[in-house]
Structures are given as C-alpha cells and as structure tokens.
Amino acid sequence: MERHSKQIHVRMSEDEIERAKRLATDTGMTLSDLIRVLLQMPATSVGEDGRLIVIDRTTAAKLTREMRRWGHHYNQAVHALNAIAYYLRANDMDAPDVLEELDRASGKLAAMQPGVEALRRSVEDVAGSVIATLGR
C-alpha cells in the first residue's frame, strides 16, 4: 500500500506553478513534500516574518548524534575534574600534578567552547522558528 494514497488537485497559474517548483528545487524537496511542509505551518505564522525550518528524519538523526557527541565531551571533561578532586582529597597528587591536570582539562574545555557556542546559537535560532517535519 502506498504511503500517501490520497491526492489533491489544485488549479494554479503558470507563475504560481513556476514559483512552487523553484521553491521546492531551492529547498531540495519534491513539490509534494513542499506542499506537505507548508500544510504544517500554523495559521498564525502565515504572513509574518517568521521562518520555516524543515527537518527530515536524516537531518534529525544527525542533530541527535551531534548533541550526543557534545554531551559525551562535556561528560569526559567533568569526569576528569572529578578525578582530580578525588586524588586531591586522597592526597595522592601534589600541586604540580594538579596544575598540569587542570591545565589539560581547561584546554579541552576551551577547545570545545567555539563548537558549543555555535551549537547554542543554532538551537536558539531553530527554537525561534516554525518547524515542519518530513517523513522521509
């Protein structure tokens, strides 16, 4: 059985058809996908300057992997700091060792910061937009 078994027929001018085809091509969608996405827009957003972000399953999976990756790095940094604190409490580390480990952890956190900031800005940007999903 076909995934989309129903059809809608719409009369459009040549200019409207060309605009729809161009928009679908520019966004990497089929004309049918474009119409499905536009139908997901809330009526309150029509005519506003709000943006519509379209996320397909592949992109959503990539976003999920990226978020997990950053979470893993953050977890590793916190684990390193906890290990330093543990060995300090146990008096198994002297000051130069502590400073060396702190510098290493600080360097890793600093290296992550640009990516974290870019990810934060992207998430804020998406959160302020209308989101539509594609089933493919």
Side-chain angles (χ1 to χ4, degrees):
M1 185 169 155
E2 188 176 326
R3 193 178 89 185
H4 301 290
S5 61
K6 301 292 181 181
Q7 293 183 6
I8 295 177
H9 299 276
V10 179
R11 293 184 183 273
M12 300 173 78
S13 70
E14 285 294 325
D15 289 341
E16 290 171 330
I17 291 172
E18 285 306 311
R19 183 169 181 242
K21 286 180 179 178
R22 193 171 40 252
L23 182 58
T25 300
D26 290 349
T27 56
M29 291 188 247
T30 65
L31 196 52
S32 294
D33 283 340
L34 174 67
I35 292 167
R36 284 187 201 98
V37 165
L38 292 174
L39 288 172
Q40 293 181 51
M41 291 182 68
T44 57
S45 68
V46 176
E48 295 177 4
D49 288 338
R51 291 182 325 155
L52 174 67
I53 295 178
V54 178
I55 300 178
D56 60 283
R57 287 183 181 158
T58 303
T59 303
K62 288 178 183 177
L63 289 171
T64 300
R65 280 192 303 275
E66 187 68 14
M67 294 294 285
R68 283 188 184 134
R69 184 174 149 257
W70 284 107
H72 174 76
H73 290 307
Y74 177 79
N75 188 43
Q76 292 298 309
V78 170
H79 178 73
L81 292 173
N82 284 333
I84 292 168
Y86 171 79
Y87 287 113
L88 270 175
R89 283 191 298 273
N91 292 322
D92 287 345
M93 294 179 82
D94 56 4
D97 291 339
V98 170
L99 292 175
E100 182 181 331
E101 290 301 318
L102 285 175
D103 282 343
R104 188 178 351 196
S106 177
K108 288 181 180 182
L109 287 171
M112 284 177 52
Q113 198 57 36
V116 170
E117 287 300 314
L119 189 59
R120 182 189 57 79
R121 284 189 303 274
S122 296
V123 169
E124 286 176 354
D125 194 31
V126 168
S129 303
V130 176
I131 299 174
T133 58
L134 282 178
R136 54 182 183 117

